[in-house]
Amino acid sequence: MRKLSRVLAGMLGVLTLTAGAATKQPIPAPTHDVALATTHGRQTAVFAGGCFWGTQAVFQRLKGVLHTTAGYSGGTKETANYGQVVTETTDHAESVEVVYDPARITYGTLLRIFFSVAHDPTQLNRQDNDIGYSYRSAIFYANEEQRKLAADYIAQLDAAHVFHGKIVTKLSPLQAFYPGEDYHQDYALKNPGNPYIQVCDLPKIAALKKQFPDLFVEYNGHYQQ
């Protein structure tokens, strides 16, 4: 698998990067956000931040998240499978669909997690040793409110020079989300000994727990309701 070969080839460099990320302080919360809903419900957000294994592992450990699915966005149904996406010819991004309760967590908070511990939003069409358009940083917004909140937050973070470079996250309308293969779901949970997971994804989970302890919940395959 391409992920494993790349991480083994550059393990020392990735270890340095992830170790640095795990010690960062929380980035500022969005200046503009929606209020928590007064009634419980279900809303959906779709994020792409490199390998979907790690992105899913982060979001499924947030209070208020009801379900996550690793999959593909940005391309067509006919080519929404791992064998074709890895060829970097399908326009898909490895993405995660996040279903959440807006009475327990806001879209702005999801954005804050996405831009801080889930990935590095300044890397163009890559995340460390994972290189290609399918690893791009992207937000697939479901409506105008999501688009505006994401655009405002990017402008806020760039203006404050929170990161070492300019945010390159692409905002795209959500046309469709295609669930990934079964073996990709909960991959980090089911394969904690995988070198890729140990080097790239476990530090993200540790950073989430350290930086956002009030939002963190343990995940064992079942979501906290």
Side-chain angles (χ1 to χ4, degrees), residues 75-94:
T76 65
K77 180 179 180 180
E78 290 71 25
T79 56
N81 61 80
Y82 194 70
Q84 291 181 272
V85 171
V86 297
T87 67
E88 301 295 345
T89 61
T90 70
D91 288 333
H92 290 95
E94 290 195 13

Side-chain angles (χ1 to χ4, degrees), residues 12-216:
L12 180 59
V14 177
L15 277 169
T16 302
L17 288 169
T18 53
T23 59
K24 291 192 304 182
Q25 296 299 310
I27 65 174
T31 301
H32 301 117
D33 195 3
V34 294
L36 286 172
T38 56
T39 58
H40 294 289
R42 297 169 70 91
Q43 293 186 11
T44 301
V46 177
F47 300 100
C51 174
F52 46 23
W53 295 344
T55 308
Q56 183 182 42
V58 168
F59 280 110
Q60 64 193 186
R61 288 169 170 80
L62 286 177
K63 290 180 181 178
V65 169
L66 306 175
H67 187 71
T68 63
T69 305
Y72 314 101
S73 295
T76 65
K77 180 179 180 180
E78 290 71 25
T79 56
N81 61 80
Y82 194 70
Q84 291 181 272
V85 171
V86 297
T87 67
E88 301 295 345
T89 61
T90 70
D91 288 333
H92 290 95
E94 290 195 13
S95 307
V96 174
E97 180 185 67
V98 180
V99 179
Y100 65 100
D101 182 351
R104 299 180 61 202
I105 191 169
T106 66
Y107 185 72
T109 299
L110 295 178
L111 289 172
R112 190 182 188 193
I113 298 303
F114 175 68
F115 282 113
S116 55
V117 299
H119 82 309
D120 181 347
T122 68
Q123 294 192 33
L124 182 62
N125 298 334
R126 67 180 298 167
Q127 283 295 301
D128 300 327
N129 286 341
D130 288 330
I131 301 171
Y133 194 54
S134 67
Y135 290 117
R136 66 189 180 273
S137 174
I139 296 171
F140 294 91
Y141 56 88
N143 50 51
E144 176 59 20
E145 181 178 64
Q146 287 188 357
R147 187 205 66 77
K148 189 173 189 311
L149 288 172
D152 287 351
Y153 194 35
I154 289 172
Q156 174 191 334
L157 295 175
D158 273 341
H161 303 289
V162 170
F163 298 105
H164 55 80
K166 187 176 177 61
I167 292 173
V168 297
T169 304
K170 184 176 182 180
L171 303 184
S172 301
L174 178 64
Q175 303 296 337
F177 174 83
Y178 307 104
E181 294 81 356
D182 287 345
Y183 68 90
H184 286 304
Q185 309 305 326
D186 287 351
Y187 192 91
L189 178 71
K190 296 174 181 176
N191 299 274
N194 182 308
Y196 183 95
I197 299 302
Q198 291 183 336
V199 171
C200 298
D201 297 338
L202 294 187
K204 296 179 181 180
I205 297 172
L208 174 66
K209 187 173 185 177
K210 178 179 180 180
Q211 295 182 31
F212 302 95
D214 293 340
L215 296 174
F216 182 86

